[in-house]
Amino acid sequence: MWTDRTPSDRAEYAESIAQEAAEALLKRIDAPRIDAAFVMGSGWKEAADGVGEPYLRFPVTEIPGFLAPTAAGHAGEIRAIRRGERCAVIFAGRTHLYEGHGPLAAVHGVRTAIAAGANTIVLTNACGSLTADLPVGAPALISDHINFTAQTPLIGARFVDLTDVYSPRLRAALRAFDATIGEGVYGGWFGPAFETPAEIRMMKTLGVDLVGMSTVLEAIAAREGGAEVLGLSLVTNRAAGLAGTKLSGEEVLEVANAAIPRLRPLLTEVARLVLA
Ligand code: HPA
């Protein structure tokens, strides 16, 4: 449903289906608007109760345009949270570029959330680390990104400023909450194959600290929509060729599970900040 159209038809389709999805979402969660959305990547989903106890949860496929996820560790569920007068949704699972539905499908959740009123988008992921300063098992703030996917969710002359994609304000607030939290530049890789050691050396030369297969397109779409973006990574492994061991999706999930107790309080603080 996402790729069989001309470019301008695709852009129009993306806009109208995000609008339709936002209306369906607000009706489903019985809220006039949402204030924030959390996109939970590998590992983070299990820590999502740190954001708050959901008053409602349902499959993403109940909302127009959302696809049933295929990646392990992605539940494909929407959870609704209330905090005082504020409301947020958690997307537990996301559509990745490597699933083959194109960049517009990968950002549909973000566009839906913004169409439903969200002015903050929290993007979380699991990633590999290119530096010993960002150790395995630890969360890190994304300070900036390099988009290696050669894809964009923007079609046409939409010139979006990406100077401060990842909110300096929210990053500073989280550093004040946890002085030990690291920070780095995230390289967005198409996947689903992990990088080769040579690709990791290239990225290292270019200034990448963290590498993963999501987030960059969602961040671009969120900035286009005027939302403030917070990017949180969980380091699940040293990047290819740096640890002398092979990479596996299972290892990513194992480390992610072990990190849950560390991620939960971080998410509680994020919720306090963005749903104040
Ligand atoms: N590379 C890309 N994506 C990832 C990695 C990695 O090393 N770890 C978890 N997701």
Side-chain angles (χ1 to χ4, degrees), residues 126-129 189 194-195 211-213 234 236-240 247 252:
C127 70
S129 169
W189 193 243
F194 289 111
E195 307 71 31
V211 61
M213 303 176 195
L234 169 66
T236 53
N237 55 279
R238 300 299 315 278
L247 304 185
V252 167

Side-chain angles (χ1 to χ4, degrees), residues 43 154 205-206 256:
L154 310 180
T205 305
L206 296 176

Side-chain angles (χ1 to χ4, degrees), residues 2 25 27 34-35 47 53 60 79 90 93 98 109 170 190 196 252 265:
W2 281 101
L25 175 69
K27 192 162 171 220
I34 60 170
D35 300 282
E53 195 51 46
V60 283
R79 301 174 192 162
I90 295 173
Y98 60 67
L170 291 174
F190 199 108
T196 63
V252 167

Side-chain angles (χ1 to χ4, degrees), residues 2 17 37 47 57 71 106 115 130 142 168 204 243 260:
W2 281 101
I17 198 162
R57 46 209 297 169
L130 282 70
I142 299 178
K204 181 91 184 150
I260 294 169

